[in-house]
Amino acid sequence: MDVRIGVTQAPRELNLEVDDGDRDDLKTRVDAALSGATDVLWVTDKRGRELGVPAAKIAYVEVGSADGDRRIGFGG
């Protein structure tokens, strides 16, 4: 599934692709970061790379659908 993380004072968002089975775990970690329980949100993508985002800088987190439905081309 695709995950987008918006960071304050950054012109671009962070795009990651994580395993579909990690959806609930990711939501739990995002909730912990936004509530102040942790200082850094750590996310591991499908390739095993780890990304750390300071919790105070998270503007939004968008979690894509588990089925990976993507649109290609122009139009609505």
Side-chain angles (χ1 to χ4, degrees), residues 3-32:
V3 177
R4 289 190 218 170
I5 302 173
V7 180
T8 59
Q9 299 179 353
R12 295 180 56 175
E13 60 193 12
L14 304 171
N15 292 310
L16 303 160
E17 189 173 346
V18 298
D19 291 325
D20 292 339
D22 294 341
R23 183 182 196 91
D24 292 332
D25 180 51
L26 178 63
K27 285 184 178 182
T28 302
R29 287 186 281 143
V30 168
D31 285 340

Side-chain angles (χ1 to χ4, degrees), residues 37-72:
T38 60
D39 294 331
V40 179
L41 171 65
W42 285 100
V43 182
T44 304
D45 70 0
K46 279 190 171 183
R47 295 180 181 176
R49 295 180 296 186
E50 294 183 351
L51 174 75
V53 180
K57 297 292 184 178
I58 297 173
Y60 63 89
V61 177
E62 181 180 312
V63 179
S65 62
D67 59 3
D69 185 26
R70 295 183 183 208
R71 294 184 181 178
I72 298 175

